[in-house]
Amino acid sequence: MKILVLGSGGREHALVWRLAQGGHEVIAAPGNPGMEREARCVPVALTDHQGITDLARAERVDLVVVGPEAPLVAGLADDLRANNLVVFGPGAAGAQLEGSKAFCKQFFARHGIPTARFFTVTTVAEADAAIDQLAATSAGVVVKADGLAAGKGVVVAENVAEAKAAAREMLEAKRFGAAGATVVIEERIIGREVSVFAITDGNTLEVLPATEDHKTIFDGDTGPNTGGMGTVSPAWTSADVVDRITKEILQPTLRGLRADGIDYRGVLFAGVMVDAGGAPYLLEYNVRFGDPETQPLMARMMGDFGKVLAGCARGHLPHGVLAWDPRVAVCVVVAAAGYPGTVRTGDPITNIPDERDGVVVFHAGTAKKDGHLVSAGGRVLGVTALGVSVQQARERAYAVVDEIDLAGKQVRRDIGARR
Ligand SMILES: Nc1ncnc2c1ncn2[C@@H]1O[C@H](COP(=O)(O)OP(=O)(O)O)[C@@H](O)[C@H]1O
Ligand SMILES: [Mg+2]
């Protein structure tokens, strides 16, 4: 097949790499320098729906795979489908699950999906009342901007004052602009997190191996949240926990989407908190693959992924095509100086070793300047290694991380250490 992958991050590089390995011809837009080995990169912006449509039609691609959330929320998949293209990724109606946390929470409530108790507010007075009420009856309060905020719109508050200040920042100071005009206030769930991905054609689901992210910038889960500093697959979760997530969260979601008249063809990425008793609570949905969860998933995946994605896009997900390498995969993110605050870019990146047995370096925030590779974003590379144990995968990943030269590089040293 000829497949167009949209996006330019580490997630998309991993998707491109996997699809190319499966023998497909891959085009990436806009792509990144790391993808050039496996794909032809075409510099069209994802906000340019007409340009993407023209590219897909001119190239007569069999399938378009949309990587990031923003174009899905903006209706890119709808526009492509309106031009008779086969698209993996939900339309704008389904993408609201990620585009609006208020919509998402109301969806969970409507369809009986376990989630933290919550209030949706639009004024400071409502926010204060909701915070007081939840603080009196729960382990803590979490304040969330409704709209897309690149992983920076959530405050897990230490106390009532911090929660109220966060709500004010969003509602009054307009810290997130329109994305913070509505705010979700919810109870804090104490537990351990896991990312669970299901791909769906709108009728059936295929659940992929659970994956664990490391969200904060510093070791020991300290410091501010990032887009994700490293991942391990499979995650810590037992088969029982994954089974509960499938039955209590993913399957009711698919039924709910159908009941609401939403034709959903793409990824359901459940961000789940599992409490000490093994009960899962859905924190949020994302409507696309995770970054950096996709990197270890693609490292472990076997079977014709292109066939599965195209089947989903056409409404007939073929089951039994995918298999999984039993080894553990660890992805360690190499981030730029300053991340997740103001990022320094333009630093030379050298000494990236060639792909070697079981270790692959996915590019994210990289660019070519005068023929040389330089940093161009917060998360620069994702070094992804397979191992017979998590220890071996960690050792292999960190050996390559340490070979790579990037001034001021930031790396967490404890990816996969908590086992
Ligand atoms: N109700 C909650 N209880 C405990 N922690 C939470 C809760 N909601 C969110 N979090 C924490 O905040 C992080 C970000 O929240 P999430 O809803 O996933 O938003 P986003 O990924 O859009 O920033 C989660 O990964 C989790 O660590
Ligand atoms: Mg999240």
Side-chain angles (χ1 to χ4, degrees), residues 179-243:
T182 297
V183 168
V184 171
I185 313 276
E186 66 181 47
E187 77 176 310
R188 180 173 184 182
I189 308 289
I190 304 296
R192 190 164 178 191
E193 273 184 87
V194 63
S195 302
V196 181
F197 299 85
I199 48 184
T200 180
D201 58 4
N203 298 301
T204 64
L205 288 167
E206 176 126 345
V207 182
L208 312 187
T211 305
E212 184 172 8
D213 192 6
H214 296 68
K215 290 180 193 298
T216 66
I217 184 75
F218 301 129
D219 286 24
D221 296 330
T222 57
N225 270 344
T226 69
M229 290 297 290
T231 37
V232 184
S233 179
W236 56 274
T237 37
S238 66
D240 277 355
V241 166
V242 175
D243 196 50

Side-chain angles (χ1 to χ4, degrees), residues 93-109:
Q96 278 297 96
L97 279 181
E98 179 163 0
S100 166
K101 289 195 187 292
F103 173 91
C104 194
K105 295 290 285 191
Q106 280 145 15
F107 179 94
F108 303 164

Side-chain angles (χ1 to χ4, degrees), residues 120-128 131 143-146 163-185:
T120 300
V121 303
T122 55
T123 66
V124 166
E126 287 172 349
D128 286 354
I131 289 164
V143 179
K144 302 185 174 186
D146 176 52
K164 289 183 177 176
R168 269 186 178 69
E169 278 274 288
M170 294 175 192
L171 292 164
E172 269 182 7
K174 304 264 185 280
R175 170 133 182 253
F176 300 100
T182 297
V183 168
V184 171
I185 313 276

Side-chain angles (χ1 to χ4, degrees), residues 328-380:
V328 179
V330 167
C331 171
V332 178
V333 168
V334 176
Y339 185 71
T342 307
V343 172
R344 195 175 78 204
T345 58
D347 286 314
I349 309 163
T350 53
N351 292 329
I352 298 182
D354 285 338
E355 187 172 330
R356 60 190 187 214
D357 179 41
V359 189
V360 47
V361 179
F362 294 118
H363 287 226
T366 67
K368 278 263 174 72
K369 201 174 139 196
D370 307 327
H372 297 289
L373 196 67
V374 297
S375 60
R379 292 181 297 164
V380 179

